[in-house]
Amino acid sequence: MFKATVIVKRRPSIVDPQGKAVEQGAKLLGFNNVSQTRIGKYIEFFVNTDNKENAKQEVEEYSHKLLANPIMEDYEYTLEEVK
Amino acid sequence: MFKATVIVKRRPSIVDPQGKAVEQGAKLLGFNNVSQTRIGKYIEFFVNTDNKENAKQEVEEYSHKLLANPIMEDYEYTLEEVK
């Protein structure tokens, strides 16, 4: 079994309205040093296989088809074997 | 200046409906090995100060007040000095 961690981020060229909105709130609360807030996703799950190649393939397909929007997001992942 | 990376996750005891929904989609697409999908946030921003203690304090306050919901989420962060 593997534990997978996937990070999904918008491409740097694509505006992030959620980050902008949160940062606007921050300014109103007096956080004047904070800038360029960008909000992505941090996804964890388990892959029930003992073969690392199979696990990789499954994580990539899952990320590509369901976790990330390949039009405007990039993803990166790590795999860690667990008992 | 510091670059901050904050990861926000629901506490393990709290159900994650978004993760469950995505995983249901995964099952329909034939991903039978994937389980316990949980979706959190991955946030990046810059803190415009040269004092690491100030940066830490600002990141913690920002996370606590705006990025995470302290009732049901935990956060962790890293700070990296940038020019």
Side-chain angles (χ1 to χ4, degrees):
Chain A
M1 186 133 101
F2 289 89
K3 182 178 179 190
T5 305
V6 180
I7 291 170
V8 177
K9 298 193 243 187
R10 291 194 168 213
R11 302 230 168 82
S13 58
I14 293 182
V15 174
D16 177 12
Q18 194 189 358
K20 274 208 186 343
V22 170
E23 198 171 294
Q24 231 166 355
K27 300 273 186 253
L28 293 175
L29 289 176
F31 295 95
N32 292 312
N33 297 325
V34 165
S35 67
Q36 295 176 61
T37 304
R38 292 181 72 85
I39 301 182
K41 282 179 283 188
Y42 180 89
I43 303 143
E44 291 175 315
F45 56 92
F46 291 92
V47 187
N48 187 19
T49 172
D50 288 328
N51 180 317
K52 191 157 187 179
E53 278 311 308
N54 286 356
K56 273 187 173 178
Q57 209 188 324
E58 191 135 350
V59 171
E60 283 173 23
E61 247 189 291
Y62 190 26
S63 301
H64 192 78
K65 290 195 178 158
L66 279 154
L67 303 176
N69 171 353
I71 310 272
M72 55 189 209
E73 291 173 329
D74 289 322
Y75 65 87
E76 53 197 67
Y77 67 91
T78 55
L79 272 178
E80 181 199 338
E81 192 156 15
V82 288
K83 301 277 165 185
Chain B
M1 186 134 101
F2 290 89
K3 184 179 179 187
T5 304
V6 180
I7 290 170
V8 177
K9 299 192 241 187
R10 291 195 170 216
R11 303 232 168 82
S13 58
I14 293 183
V15 174
D16 177 12
Q18 193 189 357
K20 275 208 185 343
V22 169
E23 199 173 293
Q24 230 166 355
K27 299 272 188 255
L28 293 175
L29 288 176
F31 295 95
N32 292 314
N33 296 325
V34 165
S35 66
Q36 294 176 59
T37 304
R38 291 181 72 86
I39 301 183
K41 282 179 284 187
Y42 179 89
I43 302 143
E44 291 174 318
F45 55 92
F46 291 93
V47 187
N48 188 19
T49 173
D50 289 329
N51 180 317
K52 191 158 186 178
E53 279 312 308
N54 287 356
K56 271 187 175 177
Q57 209 188 324
E58 191 136 348
V59 171
E60 283 172 23
E61 247 189 292
Y62 190 26
S63 301
H64 192 78
K65 289 195 179 158
L66 280 151
L67 303 176
N69 171 353
I71 310 272
M72 57 188 209
E73 291 172 330
D74 289 322
Y75 66 87
E76 54 196 67
Y77 67 90
T78 56
L79 272 178
E80 180 198 339
E81 191 155 14
V82 290
K83 302 276 166 186

